[in-house]
């Protein structure tokens, strides 16, 4: 199992910088931040953009993976976003993880859109296909329903581990069958928050159902599951994963049983959401994570 920590972009950089440094010092494998115009969980909170936040985080860390949790068509055009992705991957020395998803309702409303969910999902599929191509090819021309590209130059192209042209890893957030199939077709990994549930058991049942659908999609595509990463956001469950060390350990064990390779928790906050204490985080880092790797 690999372990990730999400740090909300609600803090001025003078306060956020030590958090990103500590995430690496604690031994987390990857760290993430939310990519929204406004997040519905904290609509009255100060909020900073994901891309410059991750660029700054890359400058003060050396090893830890850095990811968007998640980017979407709500606030990115694939051609423009390709440039930001290439820059982040370069600045981080090939540590960037590109998490993408359909996007939330609030951001969609804020930007004045009135697309029904079906069309937003269709737009996300088109967004993903074009972004994937832009990160692989040069001189890209596309005429789609939602996006167009005219002989887009994509140089310099990412350089990861000395391998010129290898694409930034795509981690595709998906719950529905169409988007799960897209994750298997286009992604290097799959991510899920499970869904909305009233109890922990109901939430784990949702997660188990999504995981089965990923297995079925991999079989249908003839794709080997080895090398296909599976990320679970533990903190969409009704109980915050860092409410206690025992809660975290139990959640990780259940995620492993369902085939997840990576789990993500959140830096504890003094108020909801993610209400918790630094003492529990420290206990998990010192005792639980080393035993569960």
């Amino acid at each position: 199992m690999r372990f990730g920590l999400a740090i909300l972009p609600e803090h001025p950089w003078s306060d956020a910088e030590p958090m990103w440094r500590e995430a690496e010092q604690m031994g987390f494998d990857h760290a993430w931040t939310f990519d929204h115009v406004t997040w519905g969980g904290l609509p009255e909170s100060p909020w900073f953009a994901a891309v410059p936040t991750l660029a700054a985080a890359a400058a003060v860390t050396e090893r830890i993976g850095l990811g968007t949790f998640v980017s979407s068509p709500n606030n990115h055009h694939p051609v423009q976003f390709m440039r930001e992705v290439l820059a982040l991957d370069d600045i981080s020395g090939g540590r960037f993880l590109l998490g993408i998803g359909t996007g939330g309702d609030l951001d969609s409303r804020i930007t004045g859109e009135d697309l029904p969910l079906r069309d937003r999902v269709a737009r996300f599929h088109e967004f993903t296909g074009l972004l994937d191509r832009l990160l692989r090819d040069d001189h890209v021309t596309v005429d789609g329903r939602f996006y167009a590209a005219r002989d887009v130059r994509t140089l310099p192209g990412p350089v990861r581990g000395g391998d010129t042209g290898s694409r930034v890893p795509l981690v595709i957030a998906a719950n529905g069958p169409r988007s799960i199939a897209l994750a298997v077709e286009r992604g290097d990994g799959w991510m899920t928050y499970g869904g909305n549930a009233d109890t922990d058991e109901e939430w784990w049942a949702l997660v188990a159902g999504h995981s089965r659908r990923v297995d079925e999609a991999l079989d249908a595509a003839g794709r080997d599951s080895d090398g296909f990463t599976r990320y679970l956001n533990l903190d969409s469950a009704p109980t915050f994963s860092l409410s206690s060390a025992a809660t975290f350990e139990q959640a990780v064990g259940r995620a492993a049983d369902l085939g997840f390779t990576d789990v993500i928790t959140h830096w504890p906050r003094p108020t909801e959401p993610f209400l918790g204490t630094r003492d529990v985080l420290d206990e998990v880092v010192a005792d639980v994570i080393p035993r569960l790797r």
Side-chain angles (χ1 to χ4, degrees):
M1 183 67 70
R2 291 180 294 267
F3 297 87
L5 184 65
I7 301 171
L8 301 187
E10 60 178 321
H11 310 281
W13 185 244
S14 58
D15 295 330
E17 178 185 1
M19 299 170 74
W20 288 93
R21 290 182 184 272
E22 285 189 82
E24 179 166 81
Q25 293 163 3
M26 289 174 182
F28 282 95
D29 299 286
H30 30 76
W32 308 76
T33 201
F34 288 13
D35 188 3
H36 293 279
V37 178
T38 299
W39 181 48
L42 287 170
E44 303 301 322
S45 173
W47 204 254
F48 297 92
V51 170
T53 295
L54 290 173
V60 300
T61 58
E62 297 179 353
R63 172 199 57 80
I64 195 168
L66 301 169
T68 51
F69 196 48
V70 293
S71 301
S72 82
N74 282 337
N75 53 333
H76 296 287
H77 187 288
V79 173
Q80 160 266 332
F81 194 40
M82 171 269 296
R83 287 293 178 213
E84 296 181 349
V85 168
L86 294 182
L88 280 175
D89 200 55
D90 178 56
I91 293 166
S92 67
R95 292 183 284 136
F96 182 51
L97 300 165
L98 178 51
I100 58 174
T102 302
D105 295 338
L106 180 57
D107 278 351
S108 180
R109 291 197 303 271
I110 285 172
T111 54
E113 294 178 351
D114 58 358
L115 291 176
L117 179 59
R118 180 187 181 112
D119 287 345
R120 284 172 52 203
V121 171
R123 182 184 62 172
F124 171 60
H125 282 233
E126 189 174 312
F127 172 93
T128 301
L130 178 52
L131 186 58
D132 183 27
R133 184 173 170 189
L134 288 164
L135 292 171
R136 294 180 185 275
D137 301 333
D138 194 16
H139 291 287
V140 174
T141 296
V142 168
D143 285 297
R145 176 184 172 191
F146 299 98
Y147 299 108
R150 301 281 188 270
D151 192 28
V152 178
R153 302 306 312 276
T154 59
L155 297 174
V159 179
R160 305 181 63 82
D163 181 11
T164 302
S166 60
R167 176 172 60 63
V168 174
L170 279 184
V171 181
I172 298 178
N175 286 343
R178 287 181 57 209
S179 292
I180 284 175
L182 177 70
V184 168
E185 176 190 0
R186 294 278 188 175
D188 301 280
W190 163 65
M191 178 184 292
T192 184
Y193 73 95
N196 298 320
D198 293 327
T199 68
D200 289 340
E201 287 305 315
E202 290 173 357
W203 185 78
W204 281 107
L206 291 174
V207 172
H210 300 330
S211 186
R212 285 193 299 272
R213 281 188 283 276
V214 169
D215 290 335
E216 293 165 0
L218 287 167
D219 288 343
R223 181 170 180 178
D224 193 335
S225 62
D226 289 345
F228 185 75
T229 51
R230 303 188 191 200
Y231 296 79
L232 178 60
N233 174 5
L234 294 174
D235 296 330
S236 292
T239 302
F240 179 40
S241 65
L242 291 179
S243 58
S244 71
T247 299
F248 183 83
E249 183 167 359
Q250 182 184 50
V252 173
R254 296 186 74 162
D257 290 343
L258 293 174
F260 286 92
T261 60
D262 296 71
V263 293
I264 300 170
T265 187
H266 291 70
W267 194 289
R269 301 180 69 255
T271 60
E272 294 287 0
F274 316 128
L275 172 63
T277 67
R278 176 62 187 265
D279 289 345
V280 172
L281 175 60
D282 289 341
E283 183 181 357
V284 162
V285 166
D287 179 53
V288 179
I289 289 178
R291 289 191 286 104
L292 298 182
R293 285 196 185 278

